[in-house]
Amino acid sequence: MEKMPYRPELDCVQMPTADQVTTTDWQLRLPVLAGKQVVLRELRASDAASLHAMLTTEEVSRFISPPPTTVEAFERFIAWTHRMRTAGTYACFAITVSGYDTAIGIFQVRELEPGFGSAEWGFAIGSAFWGTGVFQEGAELVLGFTFDTLKVHRLEARCAVQNGRGNGALQKIGAVQEGMLRKSFLRNGHYLDQALYAIVEDDWRASCASARMAGMHVH
Ligand SMILES: CC(C)(COP(=O)(O)OP(=O)(O)OC[C@H]1O[C@@H](n2cnc3c(N)ncnc32)[C@H](O)[C@@H]1OP(=O)(O)O)[C@@H](O)C(=O)NCCC(=O)NCCS
């Protein structure tokens, strides 16, 4: 999700009326998703300072849409994530490491069609935590939430071709590159090519089953 994390021009959520939707639990509050070393939880306004410090560095932000530039702008982004979650179109988790409550990054999932049949996800983690296993464990937790709770059947991701870690991260968790979106992402005045990836529910369930047979705990 290169168009992350917040675009003020899209901040115009149409709130459904009570008789239009059945509000599910995740719309009221995101569940806490706990793994061995990672805990994913709802974002809080107090996460703004650490997310600002973690996600605005050049190495983190060079291949994603510019993140908010101030702590106050991150607070507005976090409030927006709550409104979108309540509306049932988007979920954004804070990434924390077990035993510490500090937000070191985010995973976000947004619907691509009403009802979350297909969705797109994106992620960003402070560079001090790259290569530590935080991404892989967090991604597996998010995939479980996406396919089991949101009932998504197809989860897409877009990743700038030059983004070596982003492409490597997607491939190692089973995302399949399906195509190339030529000059689809404007960054620093240049249009970049993006690879289009997807994970479909059937493939994800099959890989969970084979991981279980191999004695690995997936979700
Ligand atoms: C994307 C991100 C969340 C991944 O987290 P991470 O901790 O760096 O990911 P991991 O180290 O677990 O996995 C990255 C994989 O890519 C591989 N990789 C690194 N550089 C690479 C390159 N230039 N080309 C190909 N693969 C590369 C790594 O070796 C690793 O695979 P391995 O674990 O099998 O060795 C993190 O790098 C990040 O926040 N980047 C900035 C934001 C961003 O680009 N978001 C993604 C948008 S699609």
Side-chain angles (χ1 to χ4, degrees), residues 2-3 7 65 120 157-162 179-187 190-196:
E2 302 293 357
K3 302 283 182 283
R7 284 185 294 166
S65 291
E120 181 181 14
R158 286 159 178 72
C159 186
V161 170
Q162 293 98 323
M180 191 65 71
L181 306 171
R182 294 179 303 151
K183 299 196 181 302
S184 56
F185 178 52
L186 183 62
R187 190 72 177 99
H190 299 285
Y191 282 104
L192 306 181
D193 294 346
Q194 294 180 107
L196 172 66

Side-chain angles (χ1 to χ4, degrees), residues 121 123 135 139 143 147 155-159 166-179 195-200 203-204 207:
W121 68 325
F123 30 77
F135 167 75
L143 292 175
F147 290 114
L155 182 63
E156 297 184 0
R158 286 159 178 72
C159 186
N167 284 280
L170 282 160
Q171 287 162 13
K172 82 180 200 184
I173 48 120
V176 175
Q177 187 181 325
E178 296 183 336
L196 172 66
Y197 288 89
I199 301 174
V200 297
D203 291 351
W204 176 75
S207 76

Side-chain angles (χ1 to χ4, degrees), residues 2-212:
E2 302 293 357
K3 302 283 182 283
M4 66 83 66
Y6 175 59
R7 284 185 294 166
E9 72 273 19
L10 296 184
D11 189 359
C12 53
V13 182
Q14 294 287 321
M15 297 300 284
T17 58
D19 59 349
Q20 283 178 313
V21 294
T22 303
T23 303
T24 58
D25 289 347
W26 72 268
Q27 287 177 250
L28 297 174
R29 186 161 195 83
L30 291 178
V32 173
L33 308 177
K36 284 189 184 138
Q37 63 162 338
V38 173
V39 177
L40 306 182
R41 61 160 172 78
E42 183 90 65
L43 283 168
R44 303 182 201 117
S46 56
D47 294 323
S50 67
L51 289 180
H52 177 257
M54 295 278 173
L55 304 186
T56 59
T57 62
E58 157 62 18
E59 55 189 345
V60 171
S61 63
R62 61 194 291 213
F63 294 123
I64 58 179
S65 291
T69 53
T70 64
V71 172
E72 292 70 29
F74 263 97
E75 287 173 354
R76 289 193 290 278
F77 161 65
I78 291 166
W80 173 82
T81 70
H82 294 162
R83 292 197 297 278
M84 297 290 278
R85 186 251 300 139
T86 303
T89 60
Y90 170 91
C92 186
F93 287 93
I95 305 170
T96 70
V97 176
S98 302
Y100 301 88
D101 195 40
T102 305
I104 60 163
I106 58 172
F107 279 99
Q108 48 188 349
V109 185
R110 75 175 173 102
E111 69 176 15
L112 289 176
E113 60 185 290
F116 262 115
S118 57
E120 181 181 14
W121 68 325
F123 30 77
I125 298 174
S127 55
F129 296 88
W130 292 2
T132 62
V134 164
F135 167 75
Q136 175 134 10
E137 189 174 83
E140 287 168 358
L141 292 167
V142 171
L143 292 175
F145 172 79
T146 300
F147 290 114
D148 285 339
T149 302
L150 297 179
K151 312 287 189 201
V152 166
H153 77 273
R154 173 184 164 84
L155 182 63
E156 297 184 0
R158 286 159 178 72
C159 186
V161 170
Q162 293 98 323
N163 186 353
R165 295 203 81 90
N167 284 280
L170 282 160
Q171 287 162 13
K172 82 180 200 184
I173 48 120
V176 175
Q177 187 181 325
E178 296 183 336
M180 191 65 71
L181 306 171
R182 294 179 303 151
K183 299 196 181 302
S184 56
F185 178 52
L186 183 62
R187 190 72 177 99
N188 291 332
H190 299 285
Y191 282 104
L192 306 181
D193 294 346
Q194 294 180 107
L196 172 66
Y197 288 89
I199 301 174
V200 297
E201 181 189 358
D202 290 350
D203 291 351
W204 176 75
R205 294 204 183 281
S207 76
C208 290
S210 50
R212 270 195 297 275

